[in-house]
Amino acid sequence: MVRDLRAARPFISNPGICDLDTKHKQRGLALATTGLAVAVGVLVLLNAIWFVEISLREWVVTFTTCIATIGGAWLLLQAGRSLWRGWDPHFVLIPSIAVAILLSEFVWVAPETRLLVLVVWPVVLIFLAGYAGFRTAVLLTALMTAGYLGAVALARPPEVRPEVEAILAVVFFTTNLFAAIVLGRIRRQRLALAAARAELARLVYTDPLTGLPNRRHFTERFEAEVGRVARYGGSFTLGVLDCDHFKAYNDQHGHPAGDDALRELGILLREQLRVSDSVARLGGEEFAVLMVGADPAMAAMVAERLRARVADHVFGATGDTLTVSIGLASAPEDAKTPDLLFFLADQALYAAKAHGRNRIVAAQETHAAVLR
């Protein structure tokens, strides 16, 4: 009987938890750069209408600081994950530190706009939602507060009273503590949601009895390998494996013992295959193996090793043994499409059972000759 591979195709294309990709980080950093460019444009406009007076030296310092901080962040992003992934996996701290430095510089060059600068900071924290916890938000706000006070002290505008600025800084820091609390809760919720999604993906792709990949996961890997061989060449072999007389084993020892035997069989199969190969439980006592890069001759040797290992194994506390029959179909030698490959492997498996079980049959053999 031909199995319906399309019915097993997974509806989730990329399970598990993953960080934002580089392009997403680039877009985020570009957005931050655009925001700072707008801020510089505002300074230019305010200087043009004589609301602030910015000297040539201050303009040089401002543009140098912008280029150094934003350019440094871009260089770190392009230089590779090894330089920042360990302490800033989502690449949010580096741009936030750059923004804090630049906002402090804006306070120094145009102290008249310092209150506007403080209003901008909560907007920066919004972009950290889900990625920065309470401690990170507090440290960044402390950096911004210290930078603000330092910039005011360096600028020394005549109308500014230090004690008032100190009070304003305390209020600013305290207010942002509440924002940090909210950020911490959002991050915890995000992590909990990510963990739930990962567990859901694991349940969707894993056989609950053996812990092996299930039919859904195997089908995705199988079809991907078919596409790879069609596109780039090479070969692989599909093996369909079935326990011989498993119903009789269950009837004799009970279903719990049968479940234990299936779990042990899964372990045996994984131990005998390479890391690049795949093994999955298709259902019941039927398993599938995908031998990447294996031509028919190599696959036959691997399958024989699997068959012999299972036949020599004593299962659980029953002290009994089991054997397996295996059908093989190779790509591109036997077929080039997923459905036909699976059909041929299936027919080879039935031929192995018809010839006495505990043996291997390859689809390429015209009369399903026994390989043992």
Side-chain angles (χ1 to χ4, degrees):
M1 180 176 61
V2 182
R3 293 162 179 78
D4 187 0
L5 291 182
R6 293 184 180 86
R9 184 177 288 112
F11 55 84
I12 299 176
S13 62
N14 187 20
I17 303 176
C18 62
D19 294 330
L20 298 174
D21 58 22
T22 301
K23 290 185 178 179
H24 197 168
K25 293 180 175 67
Q26 289 174 342
R27 288 194 294 268
L29 188 52
L31 181 61
T33 303
T34 302
L36 291 170
V38 171
V40 173
V42 171
L43 288 180
V44 172
L45 179 62
L46 293 176
N47 185 68
I49 64 175
W50 300 100
F51 181 78
V52 298
E53 294 185 13
I54 304 176
S55 66
L56 178 61
R57 181 180 68 89
E58 291 171 337
W59 278 121
V60 171
V61 172
T62 298
F63 283 112
T64 301
T65 305
C66 289
I67 294 173
T69 53
I70 299 301
W74 275 105
L75 287 176
L76 279 175
L77 180 58
Q78 300 299 326
R81 294 184 177 185
S82 59
L83 295 178
W84 45 265
R85 185 176 175 84
W87 58 280
D88 190 12
H90 301 291
F91 202 73
V92 294
L93 296 182
I94 295 172
S96 299
I97 292 172
V99 169
I101 294 173
L102 289 177
L103 290 178
S104 300
E105 200 279 335
F106 293 162
V107 172
W108 169 75
V109 75
E112 297 86 351
T113 64
R114 61 190 182 279
L115 295 182
L116 293 176
V117 170
L118 294 182
V119 171
V120 170
W121 182 249
V123 179
V124 177
L125 294 182
I126 290 175
F127 284 95
L128 302 180
Y131 299 102
F134 174 79
R135 181 181 301 178
T136 300
V138 169
L139 290 175
L140 288 172
T141 300
L143 175 63
M144 182 66 233
T145 305
Y148 172 83
L149 290 175
V152 171
L154 288 175
R156 295 181 182 179
E159 74 281 4
V160 170
R161 296 171 57 185
E163 62 275 14
V164 174
E165 295 302 317
I167 294 173
L168 181 62
V170 171
V171 173
F172 169 77
F173 181 79
T174 304
T175 303
N176 281 279
L177 284 180
F178 293 99
I181 293 173
V182 174
L183 287 177
R185 291 178 178 175
I186 293 176
R187 184 173 185 271
R188 288 194 296 271
Q189 292 174 355
R190 175 182 173 275
L191 292 177
L193 178 60
R197 291 177 61 186
E199 178 64 14
L200 178 61
R202 187 190 68 81
L203 293 175
V204 168
Y205 277 83
T206 304
D207 172 58
L209 177 63
T210 62
L212 293 174
N214 59 14
R215 176 189 287 270
R216 179 186 298 274
H217 193 180
F218 185 82
T219 300
E220 182 183 57
R221 176 73 189 277
F222 174 53
E223 293 184 345
E225 189 63 20
V226 171
R228 185 193 67 80
V229 169
R231 193 172 297 113
Y232 303 110
S235 62
F236 76 89
T237 296
L238 168 68
V240 181
L241 178 151
D242 191 84
C243 288
D244 299 325
H245 303 297
F246 190 72
K247 184 179 183 302
Y249 186 94
N250 266 338
D251 292 342
Q252 180 180 356
H253 301 293
H255 287 282
D259 290 344
D260 290 340
L262 290 176
R263 279 190 284 265
E264 289 184 50
L265 179 58
I267 294 173
L268 291 177
L269 296 177
R270 273 187 298 202
E271 288 176 347
Q272 298 302 311
L273 294 173
R274 301 167 300 174
V275 176
S276 59
D277 298 333
S278 298
V279 57
R281 184 187 179 206
L282 299 181
E285 65 271 22
E286 190 172 45
F287 296 78
V289 294
L290 190 65
M291 292 169 272
V292 178
D295 58 19
M298 181 187 302
M301 291 188 293
V302 174
E304 172 59 24
R305 187 172 69 240
L306 290 176
R307 186 207 62 78
R309 180 70 180 88
V310 174
D312 292 339
H313 182 73
V314 177
F315 285 83
T318 65
D320 209 342
T321 59
L322 284 169
T323 60
V324 294
S325 299
I326 304 174
L328 302 176
S330 300
E333 289 85 355
D334 298 320
K336 298 180 180 180
T337 63
D339 289 344
L340 185 54
L341 277 167
F342 213 103
F343 172 77
L344 293 176
D346 218 23
Q347 294 302 303
L349 171 62
Y350 290 152
K353 286 183 171 293
H355 283 78
R357 296 181 170 85
N358 189 24
R359 61 194 62 218
I360 304 157
V361 170
Q364 65 187 2
E365 300 181 27
T366 305
H367 301 290
V370 179
L371 292 183
R372 282 191 63 196

